[in-house]
């Protein structure tokens, strides 16, 4: 079942007027993302290949001149008021019902250094929380665009992505890489974004499943994840330790995988290195397939990525494994978990003619295990963040 459509910007503007007693000065939208391939490579200075979803986060906003950001959400039902000149949100021990607001407040505090100020913000989203579709980055990027426009601050999108990443790293305390914010800000319709996370340089790569008679399904496994927990940070620390032991700045710099594995005593670190190095190669192979018009052959890359994430990086979860297995058995070309892991979503690449059988097979696999039924979303590559009103 598809998720509900994003409300019209006019409806969000009306809700803003009801909440704040004045009309907004604009409405901005930033999409969620799916990473086609290249998982846990971003914070290793590696390569990723995300594309934007047709769903995301919208922010209606109006400028304030008192140095305060007031944030409300149609989903959370709570209002948060904070100074843009405060310290880090992560150090302030906000209660659980306010944690969602750390993302827009954090962005406001980082952008304050570049000339923005206070604002009233009303947030709406049609991205499922905890599904691994980067709702947090979408919130950051919609907020960043709104604040820059409201206060007349011009920041190039690659630089704005790094500032949004910094807000999540420093303000929220989540050690994410650059991919999610870059995807939300830089992606274009009908394209995937080949992003070099070290240089920040990117290239648009043709990606049109429908033109090849294929469909890419996003499967929300309904197993929620929270990447601010310890597992994600532990994986990043393991990669950094391995890079240090190998004498390289980041695992992206490992050129001879066999020699690197032989040099590491710790089997856990060997597994982490093997995933990162081979995943970067899979991104390059995937780009070659897309440019050659060989989209169906991408399925093998997706399967290999999933096995590596499951066995080498150890971040998959039972619902994701069952999703990929059931999809391939029903005729899909391939699939893999997406996002940081430990819950969230998977993607499945299938011939359009077999999409119904693939959905039914996955749903039946969940039913046999007594799991909550999954949610399905067809995901055509869509427009990046923009002002809509």
């Amino acid at each position: 079942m598809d998720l509900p459509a994003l409300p019209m910007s006019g409806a969000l503007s009306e809700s803003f007027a009801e909440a704040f007693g004045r009309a907004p000065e604009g409405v901005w939208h930033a999409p969620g993302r799916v990473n086609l391939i290249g998982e846990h490579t971003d914070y290793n200075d590696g390569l990723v290949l995300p594309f934007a979803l047709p769903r995301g986060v919208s922010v209606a906003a109006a400028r304030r001149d008192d140095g305060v950001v007031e944030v409300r959400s149609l989903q959370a039902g709570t209002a948060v008021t904070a100074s843009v000149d405060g310290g880090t949100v992560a150090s302030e021990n906000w209660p659980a019902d306010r944690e969602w607001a750390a993302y827009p407040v954090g962005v406001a505090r980082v952008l304050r250094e570049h000339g923005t100020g206070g604002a009233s913000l009303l947030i709406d989203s049609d991205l499922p929380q905890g599904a691994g579709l980067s709702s947090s980055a979408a919130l950051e990027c919609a907020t960043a665009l709104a604040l820059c426009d409201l206060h007349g601050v011009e920041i190039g999108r690659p630089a704005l992505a790094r500032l949004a990443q910094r807000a999540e790293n420093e303000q929220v305390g989540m050690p994410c890489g650059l991919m999610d914010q870059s995807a939300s800000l830089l992606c274009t319709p009908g394209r995937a974004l080949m992003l070099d996370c070290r240089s920040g340089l990117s290239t648009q790569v043709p990606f049109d499943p429908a033109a090849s008679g294929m469909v890419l399904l996003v499967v929300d496994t309904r197993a929620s994840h929270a990447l601010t927990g310890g597992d994600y940070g532990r994986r990043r620390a393991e990669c950094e330790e391995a890079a240090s032991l190998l004498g390289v700045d980041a695992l992206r710099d490992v050129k001879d995988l066999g020699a690197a594995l032989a040099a590491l005593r710790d089997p856990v670190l060997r597994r982490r290195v093997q995933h990162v190095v081979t995943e970067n190669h899979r991104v390059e192979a995937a780009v070659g397939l897309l440019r050659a018009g060989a989209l169906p052959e991408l399925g093998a890359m997706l399967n290999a990525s999933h096995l590596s994430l499951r066995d080498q990086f150890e971040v998959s979860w039972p619902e994701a494994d069952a999703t990929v297995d059931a999809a391939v058995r029903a005729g899909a070309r391939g699939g893999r978990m997406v996002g940081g892991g430990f819950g969230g979503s998977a993607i499945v690449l299938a011939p359009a003619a077999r999409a119904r059988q693939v959905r039914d097979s996955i749903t039946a696999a969940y039913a046999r295990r007594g799991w909550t039924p999954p949610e399905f979303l067809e995901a055509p590559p869509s427009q990046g963040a923009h002002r809509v009103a």
Side-chain angles (χ1 to χ4, degrees):
M1 181 176 67
D2 285 349
L3 299 170
L6 185 73
M8 298 284 289
S9 61
L12 185 57
S13 295
E14 292 176 2
S15 297
F16 182 97
E18 293 175 3
F20 294 103
R22 58 175 173 148
E25 296 178 50
V27 178
W28 293 260
H29 177 77
R33 65 92 188 99
V34 164
N35 188 24
L36 189 59
I37 198 163
E39 218 67 77
H40 289 275
T41 52
D42 57 345
Y43 55 79
N44 287 292
D45 284 356
L47 307 174
V48 293
L49 192 64
F51 63 92
L53 291 170
R55 300 169 184 242
V57 174
S58 292
V59 174
R63 186 173 50 249
R64 294 175 66 120
D65 298 321
D66 57 0
V68 166
V69 59
E70 182 179 2
V71 191
R72 301 188 184 197
S73 165
L74 295 182
Q75 281 72 43
T78 55
V80 175
T81 302
S83 170
V84 297
D85 294 317
T88 64
V89 175
S91 68
E92 295 174 1
N93 297 316
W94 286 14
D97 65 347
R98 300 179 65 197
E99 287 178 349
W100 64 271
Y103 297 92
V105 171
V107 168
R109 289 179 174 176
V110 168
L111 289 182
R112 175 63 169 160
E113 302 171 12
H114 297 266
T116 67
S120 296
L121 307 170
L122 180 64
I123 295 161
D124 194 13
S125 173
D126 62 356
L127 282 171
Q129 297 295 309
L133 302 179
S134 197
S135 58
S136 58
L139 175 53
E140 292 158 7
C141 293
T143 299
L145 282 185
L147 291 172
C148 287
D149 282 358
L150 289 174
H151 293 278
V153 173
E154 294 187 8
I155 301 174
R157 293 213 171 191
L160 194 60
R162 289 195 180 276
L163 290 171
Q165 177 203 17
R166 179 185 154 200
E168 188 159 346
N169 291 168
E170 297 178 2
Q171 290 285 333
V172 181
M174 165 60 192
C176 67
L178 183 63
M179 175 182 65
D180 293 351
Q181 295 81 6
S182 296
S184 190
L185 286 166
L186 300 175
C187 281
T188 59
R191 299 288 188 273
L193 184 77
M194 166 67 156
L195 175 67
D196 183 325
C197 293
R198 169 170 285 166
S199 68
L201 297 176
S202 62
T203 302
Q204 303 289 343
V205 181
F207 177 51
D208 186 357
S212 299
M214 306 293 290
V215 62
L216 188 84
L217 296 175
V218 176
V219 185
D220 180 358
T221 70
R222 308 295 294 278
S224 183
H225 71 166
L227 293 184
T228 49
D231 288 328
Y232 182 94
R234 189 174 304 114
R235 293 301 184 280
R236 181 163 185 165
E238 289 165 347
C239 290
E240 291 171 351
E241 180 183 357
S244 177
L245 290 171
L246 293 172
V248 294
D249 291 336
L251 294 185
R252 191 270 184 70
D253 299 312
V254 173
K255 303 303 181 185
D256 186 335
L257 178 58
L261 297 180
L264 294 171
R265 286 186 169 184
D266 188 337
V268 172
L269 297 186
R270 287 200 296 269
R271 291 196 296 271
R272 306 299 183 253
V273 171
Q274 182 169 342
H275 167 73
V276 173
V277 173
T278 58
E279 187 79 346
N280 276 318
H281 290 310
R282 283 187 286 270
V283 174
E284 294 176 319
V287 169
L289 290 171
L290 293 180
R291 287 177 171 159
L295 179 60
E297 306 311 312
L298 183 65
M301 293 294 103
L302 300 182
N303 289 335
S305 176
H306 182 76
L307 291 175
S308 182
L309 288 160
R310 186 192 71 185
D311 300 337
Q312 305 302 327
F313 219 69
E314 299 174 285
V315 292
S316 190
W317 62 101
E319 290 87 346
D321 297 337
T323 296
V324 173
D325 181 67
V328 172
R329 288 176 182 274
R333 297 303 296 260
R336 71 176 193 89
M337 58 149 284
V338 295
F342 313 107
S345 295
I347 57 172
V348 171
L349 181 68
R354 297 200 63 83
R356 172 51 59 188
Q357 293 95 316
V358 168
R359 290 180 188 229
D360 290 346
S361 176
I362 295 170
T363 300
Y366 279 53
R368 287 194 299 272
R369 294 164 172 82
W371 294 340
T372 302
E375 297 273 5
F376 296 95
L377 171 67
E378 291 190 15
S382 301
Q383 183 178 0
H386 60 287
R387 184 170 185 162
V388 296

